[in-house]
Amino acid sequence: MTDSFEFNPLNPLNLHYGRLALSVIIGMLIDLATYSHLWGIFGVTWILIIIFANYQSMIQFVKLTINHELVYKLQLLINSDNLEDHRMTSYGREVAHSVIFQIKNYANHIRLTIFPNGIKNSRIIDDLANDISRIFNAEVEKAPNSRYDSVTYIVKKCPTNILDVTHHELF
């Protein structure tokens, strides 16, 4: 069984803001066209329009919820290394660029592909094996990769120690 998903820390739910805005506008137009005192029905219609327009985000939400332990460990990995670039804005410090993870979860190992996605220090993703091994508490090897724009690591699961969520002293 293979469970695969993509985790982008800048947009974890893969929201398409244009679709979201369009679905809200369509919901408002339906409310205006069918104005009545039956607000409950129109509220349900609005929610259904938003869900159907953004069904991919709902699927991503379910995948992230199911794999919450893995997502937590990826957040630890991001925070332990320079895998995000920050910029100062008038509102404070915000993330400008972040790596993108593509995860394929197999029965005995996890295939973790990391895309630099414009971070300044993109060479750092070549040397993440030690940090991944420490955070996941598992054996890690760098997979041979024919792609030049990403690095793939294989995290081997140990049957006695199945990627438990423990708080590491990284911060």
Side-chain angles (χ1 to χ4, degrees):
M1 183 179 118
T2 304
D3 180 25
S4 65
F5 65 97
E6 191 171 286
F7 177 62
N8 182 356
L10 289 177
N11 189 3
L13 295 179
N14 293 335
L15 279 174
H16 300 281
Y17 298 106
R19 279 192 212 156
L20 184 62
L22 185 65
S23 61
V24 168
I25 290 170
I26 290 173
M28 289 171 69
L29 290 175
I30 288 175
D31 272 352
L32 287 174
T34 59
Y35 180 74
S36 178
H37 295 287
L38 303 173
W39 290 106
I41 294 172
F42 299 115
V44 170
T45 304
W46 240 40
I47 291 170
L48 289 176
I49 289 171
I50 291 172
I51 287 174
F52 287 133
N54 298 296
Y55 70 94
Q56 294 166 335
S57 298
M58 299 299 163
I59 293 170
Q60 181 73 7
F61 176 74
V62 170
K63 287 181 180 182
L64 292 179
T65 304
I66 290 171
N67 297 302
H68 71 279
E69 295 172 356
L70 190 56
V71 171
Y72 174 75
K73 293 202 179 268
L74 293 175
Q75 287 288 356
L76 284 176
L77 182 64
I78 288 170
N79 292 335
S80 69
D81 289 319
N82 292 328
L83 299 179
E84 289 181 334
D85 290 339
H86 300 278
R87 67 176 173 224
M88 291 303 293
T89 63
S90 58
Y91 299 109
R93 187 176 134 179
E94 73 176 30
V95 177
H97 300 285
S98 180
V99 295
I100 296 176
F101 297 100
Q102 188 178 41
I103 299 103
K104 291 186 180 176
N105 198 352
Y106 296 97
N108 57 353
H109 70 278
I110 296 171
R111 191 171 184 89
L112 180 65
T113 304
I114 304 172
F115 297 91
N117 194 30
I119 61 172
K120 292 177 188 169
N121 192 4
S122 61
R123 286 188 226 145
I124 198 168
I125 66 168
D126 285 332
D127 301 324
L128 287 177
N130 290 335
D131 293 331
I132 293 172
S133 174
R134 179 176 40 109
I135 289 173
F136 282 84
N137 196 17
E139 223 177 286
V140 175
E141 67 182 41
K142 195 172 178 181
N145 200 357
S146 62
R147 296 184 61 142
Y148 62 89
D149 64 340
S150 66
V151 176
T152 301
Y153 294 98
I154 296 175
V155 181
K156 297 180 182 176
K157 295 179 185 176
C158 181
T160 58
N161 186 10
I162 302 177
L163 297 180
D164 58 328
V165 175
T166 56
H167 296 283
H168 298 278
E169 298 297 324
L170 295 175
F171 308 108

